[in-house]
Amino acid sequence: MTRRNQTIVSDFLLLGLPIEPEQQNPFYVLFLAMYLITILGNLLIIFLICLDSHLHTPMYLFLSNLSFSDICFSSVTIPKLLQTMQSQDSSIPFTGCLTQMYFFLFFADLESFLLVAMAYDRYVAICFPLHYTIIMSSKLCLSLVVLSWVLTMFHAMLHTLLMARLCFCADNVIPHFFCDMSALLKLACSDTRVNELVIFIMGGLILVIPFLLIVMSYARIVISILRVPSARGIRKAFSTCGSHLSVLSLFYGTVIGLYLCPSANNSAVKETVMAVMYTVVTPMLNPFIYSLRNRDMMGALGRLLFKKKISFSV
């Protein structure tokens, strides 16, 4: 009976971004623009990969899945944020909060696994070019994609079920713009040690290990290129790897800092800003990193525009 009486929270209130009321409209326009860029940029990548047969390769299979994941990842949090900023309706049902947390974890984890697959693909293509088609077979690529989806589904479900078993008492105000797992744990009035242990263990498997594998892959790529020095090859390697690693560092650095290395000095404002970095900024940057700096993608876009121009002329 005591447990039942404690579980009185039926909905939560999201405080949103820590900004002044007079700054709501400028920030609303900014986040709406960033969201639209994210959606349109990633949809363009998927569209080009589907239409252009030159892009039907393992690398672009992973990239199309990454773009779809970025679209969904942004759509889990930003629409609710925009609604809160515009209507001042910050309430979200308990079940809706758990649903948002599930899909947030799902697509964040999926992005992590897909980035590992893409790094491995580049490693094989550059370090073992003669065996690339044999190693990166269609069966292996499809297996990596399916495995990524399945593992992330179970991982997100695990955290969601553990969160659902907790009791939430009178305090239902979440100092965040979405139902973040760490913010919810702070509101729980029951024992959260199991949740925290699972976050630490699974976080190491889902975040730290993939990040290390990505760094190792790019390190081997750089070493391989430096063994046969070429000014053009070195510039291309450092340009590509540098831009990729900068986005990866932004994504993994903020996530690891928030969930695996929490600090007592982290204020709600600091945690919110860090969350914006990997939930809003990173999905927006990925289309620029993986398409505008990619010669194959730009070639596919040029061929598509050329066909449209010919069709229009005829």
Side-chain angles (χ1 to χ4, degrees):
M1 182 66 69
T2 303
R3 178 183 175 90
R4 185 176 298 174
N5 289 337
Q6 286 180 334
T7 315
I8 60 175
V9 172
S10 60
D11 57 5
F12 292 98
L13 297 177
L14 297 169
L15 288 186
L17 297 174
I19 56 180
E20 299 297 329
E22 60 271 14
Q23 297 177 329
Q24 288 280 352
N25 289 334
F27 273 95
Y28 177 84
V29 173
L30 174 63
F31 280 96
L32 177 61
M34 295 173 73
Y35 180 59
L36 291 177
I37 291 172
T38 301
I39 299 298
L40 295 176
N42 284 290
L43 280 178
L44 178 62
I45 290 176
I46 296 173
F47 183 69
L48 289 176
I49 292 173
C50 290
L51 289 183
D52 198 308
S53 59
H54 296 88
L55 302 180
H56 294 173
T57 61
M59 176 65 179
Y60 296 104
L61 170 65
F62 300 138
L63 181 55
S64 61
N65 278 267
L66 180 67
S67 295
F68 178 77
S69 177
D70 281 335
I71 291 172
C72 297
F73 188 42
S74 296
S75 299
V76 169
T77 58
I78 300 182
K80 179 59 180 176
L81 170 63
L82 294 174
Q83 178 197 351
T84 302
M85 296 175 72
Q86 191 69 15
S87 65
Q88 303 303 317
D89 179 18
S90 60
S91 64
I92 182 171
F94 178 74
T95 53
C97 197
L98 290 182
T99 302
Q100 187 186 51
M101 191 190 82
Y102 171 81
F103 284 108
F104 175 83
L105 292 171
F106 179 89
F107 289 111
D109 295 342
L110 181 60
E111 180 150 340
S112 179
F113 279 106
L114 290 173
L115 288 172
V116 174
M118 292 173 68
Y120 178 69
D121 176 81
R122 291 301 85 199
Y123 164 70
V124 174
I126 294 175
C127 298
F128 305 98
L130 299 179
H131 303 284
Y132 176 77
T133 54
I134 299 175
I135 298 175
M136 298 303 296
S137 62
S138 300
K139 183 178 179 180
L140 175 63
C141 296
L142 187 60
S143 299
L144 289 175
V145 171
V146 172
L147 183 63
S148 298
W149 281 82
V150 172
L151 289 178
T152 53
M153 178 182 67
F154 282 109
H155 178 249
M157 182 61 70
L158 172 63
H159 285 296
T160 306
L161 293 176
L162 287 175
M163 188 66 69
R165 59 182 276 276
L166 298 179
C167 298
F168 295 90
C169 304
D171 190 4
N172 68 335
V173 178
I174 302 176
H176 220 302
F177 64 92
F178 68 96
C179 292
D180 182 59
M181 188 164 50
S182 60
L184 283 172
L185 288 178
K186 294 177 182 178
L187 298 180
C189 54
S190 53
D191 190 4
T192 61
R193 285 178 294 182
V194 174
N195 297 68
E196 292 168 357
L197 180 63
V198 172
I199 288 174
F200 184 78
I201 295 174
M202 297 303 296
L205 296 174
I206 299 295
L207 293 174
V208 177
I209 293 178
F211 178 67
L212 294 177
L213 290 174
I214 291 171
V215 172
M216 289 172 57
S217 297
Y218 282 115
R220 293 292 300 271
I221 289 173
V222 172
I223 292 172
S224 177
I225 292 176
L226 291 178
R227 285 176 181 170
V228 185
S230 163
R232 182 181 177 185
I234 292 174
R235 280 198 307 271
K236 182 179 179 181
F238 280 103
S239 174
T240 303
C241 294
S243 57
H244 289 190
L245 288 175
S246 61
V247 176
L248 291 171
S249 300
L250 180 65
F251 176 77
Y252 283 104
T254 51
V255 172
I256 292 173
L258 275 175
Y259 297 108
L260 298 187
C261 306
S263 173
N265 298 324
N266 281 355
S267 63
V269 175
K270 183 178 178 181
E271 291 183 355
T272 302
V273 172
M274 293 173 68
V276 168
M277 289 296 105
Y278 71 88
T279 59
V280 181
V281 178
T282 302
M284 183 187 67
L285 291 179
N286 279 343
F288 295 97
I289 297 299
Y290 293 107
S291 60
L292 294 181
R293 299 177 62 89
N294 186 306
R295 189 173 298 176
D296 293 335
M297 291 295 297
M298 295 307 294
L301 180 60
R303 285 189 291 272
L304 178 64
L305 295 176
F306 183 70
K307 288 180 181 178
K308 293 290 184 182
K309 185 177 180 180
I310 293 178
S311 301
F312 181 77
S313 300
V314 173

